[in-house]
Amino acid sequence: MPRHQQARVADVHWDTLSPPEARRLRELGLDEGVRIELLHRSAFGRGPIACRIGRMTVALRRHIAGAIDVIPAA
């Protein structure tokens, strides 16, 4: 996903996340249909990913972000 492009969450692979990770995403309001925007990736591809969910800026670990499928927003 390119930076600063809005997308919608198409699917979250809940079964690949631990219960605390899944609970945290749900508490943040992340679920199918929610708008999300990639703000920043670490330079070497190993650190967290910063994204905007609604009006919040959230840092997600790479394996958590990998469990989220997105489609471009219309």
Side-chain angles (χ1 to χ4, degrees), residues 25-59:
L25 288 182
R26 286 189 176 108
E27 288 172 352
L28 292 172
L30 193 123
D31 209 347
E32 288 82 5
V34 171
R35 286 185 178 260
I36 190 168
E37 177 185 354
L38 176 66
L39 299 176
H40 180 74
R41 290 181 210 164
S42 63
F44 299 106
R46 301 196 69 169
I49 296 171
C51 62
R52 181 171 290 130
I53 303 170
R55 295 186 310 176
M56 295 180 295
T57 300
V58 179

